[in-house]
Amino acid sequence: MADYRKMWEDLGMDVETHDMLCEVLPQAFGDVYLSQDDRPEGMDYYNMVVAEIHGIRPAELIEAQKEGKKVFGTFCVYVPDEIVFAAGAIATGLCGGSQFRVPGGEKVLPTNTCPLIKASVGARLDRTCPFFRIADMYIGETTCDGKKKAWEILAADVPMHVMDLPQMKRVKDVNAWAEEIVEFKRVVEEFTGNEVSAESLADAIRLINGKRRALARLYEFRKNENVPISGRDVLLISQIAFYDDPERFTQMTNQLCDELKKRVAGGVSVCRKGSKRIMLTGTPMAIPNWKLHQIIETSGGIVVCEETCTGTRYFENLVEENETTVADQINALAERYMNINCACFTPNLGRVDDILRLAKEYNVDGIIDVNLKFCNLYDTEGYLVEKAMREAGIPVLGLETDYTDSDAQQLRTRVSAFIEMLNN
Ligand code: BJ8
């Protein structure tokens, strides 16, 4: 890896603590990823991105800042990146998926906060993540209670704008979200000094739709009987999608898809015949949270779909590309984003419909409904999801976990028993 110490120091990072993180990541990555046989060659790009995750992209963002561009950090798939790119700025994901940063979050947050929030706050306050240092402004949203309060703590440290996400899906709620996007546009324009025009917004809509199309194409290959790419690899790609330059990401993912097409034609499969096809549903898995995929795929299963925000909720549904005025484009954005089915909505029956549809499309043998510890929203909704799956005759296992390894053995036992049950 190139030496980025000077860059990290200039960002005001705690380089010594960060060194400790850099020491453990390659080992974890090697165990989960490099141990796999017969990976597509196109994964080399994503391996390289992870190997230099705190180097290459942060350096690009800093270069962009030197040219006068602003960087916006986001935490949720409801925030429309299109507005940011249309203003000549850059959006990057900021969610925390590492246990390393959880204790930093616990210094200021209640212990019974979900690890994703604790890791995110810890990453900022402990100064161990370049992305959290680089972002000029954070964009929060009113999804769950833990996040809402976390924004107030982060706002004392960094400029923050919070988008008020409605929690129902009536016409007036979609209209309210469109108004929030108008307000977001105003904030972004003011902060960047650049106007969002119908032309620049149309370009940005096409740019982000391109990323969605590439991910949708990637997922299509997992519907085959012979699965040409592991769930672990697809998870990694989805996680990188939040950070990478969207144009390059789209290009590299489409290139990988070309390779997968050949693999499918050649009957290549990354798993043994008879491996059980598993869909994961529930809370997102931010990088480097690969725990459950690793357990499932080393216990006789293959993950063929994720109904999560690091899965289908991120890329399904495109924004209409043919609108010609900013007002109509914003309405199109509101429509598309309000189609995402997060558990923060009530009722959220669309999510159950999504899971039933995906179970069919990906021909799954069983569903694992996963909840990040202390996420009350998904935990509570899990009751309705699991009930609906049982009624539809789809085997389902509900699991709760966090970022530690302390439950890995117990999870493996439960996952193995579930897959064994699917075999009988
Ligand atoms: S759209 S899932 S990215 S809110 S896991 S922080 S909900 S307590 S991450 Fe999410 Fe947007 Fe919804 Fe997706 Fe809170 Fe639950 Fe933690 Fe969560």
Side-chain angles (χ1 to χ4, degrees):
M1 183 164 85
D3 189 3
Y4 295 106
R5 286 184 82 82
K6 168 90 173 62
M7 178 179 84
W8 295 330
E9 277 164 12
D10 291 348
L11 286 171
M13 288 173 62
D14 177 347
V15 177
E16 274 170 28
T17 309
H18 181 254
D19 281 348
M20 291 190 249
L21 177 64
C22 292
E23 272 165 31
V24 292
L25 198 62
Q27 172 75 38
F29 188 71
D31 291 349
V32 177
Y33 282 94
L34 306 180
S35 60
Q36 296 178 91
D37 293 327
D38 203 15
R39 295 174 80 207
E41 279 176 22
M43 287 310 298
D44 288 351
Y45 170 70
Y46 307 94
N47 292 345
M48 182 270 293
V49 172
V50 174
E52 306 254 340
I53 191 152
H54 284 180
I56 295 177
R57 186 63 178 149
E60 285 178 356
L61 295 177
I62 291 167
E63 270 314 300
Q65 283 174 321
K66 283 185 192 150
E67 289 162 17
K69 288 193 173 189
K70 296 285 185 203
V71 176
F72 290 79
T74 65
F75 299 86
C76 176
V77 299
Y78 279 98
V79 175
D81 287 350
E82 289 89 343
I83 297 289
V84 173
F85 284 98
I90 300 173
T92 182
L94 286 182
C95 278
S98 164
Q99 176 59 27
F100 186 82
R101 300 191 172 112
V102 167
E106 285 177 340
K107 286 183 205 155
V108 294
L109 295 166
T111 312
N112 62 353
T113 305
C114 99
L116 196 144
I117 300 173
K118 288 191 285 199
S120 300
V121 172
R124 173 71 202 185
L125 300 186
D126 280 354
R127 300 178 289 118
T128 54
C129 176
F131 292 96
F132 278 81
R133 303 300 306 165
I134 290 169
D136 296 294
M137 180 184 267
Y138 290 4
I139 309 301
E141 73 313 311
T142 54
T143 44
C144 66
D145 288 352
K147 276 181 163 185
K148 279 187 279 197
K149 292 291 116 183
W151 309 147
E152 294 172 25
I153 294 171
L154 289 173
D157 204 39
V158 66
M160 162 79 71
H161 173 72
V162 179
M163 297 185 76
D164 186 7
L165 182 73
Q167 315 260 283
M168 295 179 80
K169 293 196 175 177
R170 301 157 300 184
V171 173
K172 66 177 181 178
D173 298 309
V174 180
N175 293 339
W177 187 235
E179 277 175 34
E180 271 303 301
I181 298 176
V182 171
E183 169 69 4
F184 180 45
K185 173 174 131 350
R186 189 192 61 72
V187 169
V188 171
E189 285 179 328
E190 212 166 85
F191 198 68
T192 59
N194 297 331
E195 192 202 337
V196 172
S197 66
E199 289 71 35
S200 69
L201 192 48
D203 286 347
I205 287 172
R206 275 192 294 273
L207 176 75
I208 305 300
N209 272 349
K211 175 156 80 164
R212 294 187 183 113
R213 286 192 180 98
L215 284 165
R217 188 176 166 215
L218 173 67
Y219 267 60
E220 251 339 275
F221 291 108
R222 308 170 83 188
K223 295 179 180 172
N224 284 286
E225 195 185 332
N226 290 324
V227 187
I229 184 165
S230 69
R232 273 168 281 184
D233 279 337
V234 176
L235 174 65
L236 184 69
I237 295 167
S238 301
Q239 291 171 334
I240 288 171
F242 286 80
Y243 296 88
D244 203 0
D245 171 71
E247 202 170 317
R248 179 178 54 209
F249 175 86
T250 301
Q251 189 199 336
M252 298 312 291
T253 304
N254 276 322
Q255 206 167 297
L256 170 71
C257 288
D258 294 340
E259 183 187 350
L260 297 183
K261 193 173 168 194
K262 290 189 198 133
R263 284 189 151 220
V264 168
V268 175
S269 177
V270 290
C271 58
R272 282 203 314 273
K273 215 174 171 54
S275 295
K276 291 297 150 191
R277 301 171 65 89
I278 303 294
M279 174 161 74
L280 282 170
T281 64
T283 43
M285 293 165 185
I287 199 165
N289 179 10
W290 308 307
K291 179 160 111 178
L292 211 45
H293 279 66
Q294 160 78 345
I295 290 174
I296 293 166
E297 296 194 334
T298 51
S299 302
I302 174 88
V303 180
V304 292
C305 183
E306 297 84 7
E307 184 276 326
T308 65
C309 287
T310 39
T312 56
R313 287 203 293 270
Y314 185 52
F315 67 79
E316 282 201 326
N317 301 313
L318 299 176
V319 179
E320 170 60 53
E321 292 180 353
N322 295 322
E323 303 297 357
T324 51
T325 65
V326 171
D328 288 344
Q329 288 166 326
I330 286 181
N331 286 337
L333 286 168
E335 288 283 346
R336 186 269 159 189
Y337 280 90
M338 286 291 275
N339 261 328
I340 303 170
N341 293 315
C342 173
C344 63
F345 282 84
T346 183
N348 193 30
L349 301 173
R351 180 159 170 246
V352 170
D353 294 342
D354 284 344
I355 298 171
L356 288 169
R357 169 178 58 80
L358 294 166
K360 256 198 206 135
E361 286 180 7
Y362 290 81
N363 192 21
V364 309
D365 296 305
I367 290 176
I368 296 184
D369 185 37
V370 59
N371 190 57
L372 265 180
K373 205 169 176 184
F374 303 124
C375 176
N376 283 334
L377 286 172
Y378 279 87
D379 197 9
T380 309
E381 192 161 282
Y383 167 77
L384 297 169
V385 167
E386 290 166 32
K387 181 167 168 282
M389 296 311 119
R390 284 192 195 96
E391 283 168 7
I394 304 170
V396 57
L397 170 70
L399 291 178
E400 184 164 82
T401 185
D402 56 19
Y403 293 165
T404 67
D405 277 332
S406 60
D407 62 351
Q409 197 46 48
Q410 193 201 4
L411 287 175
R412 185 172 289 284
T413 306
R414 294 192 63 195
V415 167
S416 300
F418 181 62
I419 291 174
E420 187 59 40
M421 185 270 291
L422 296 176
N423 277 323
N424 295 323

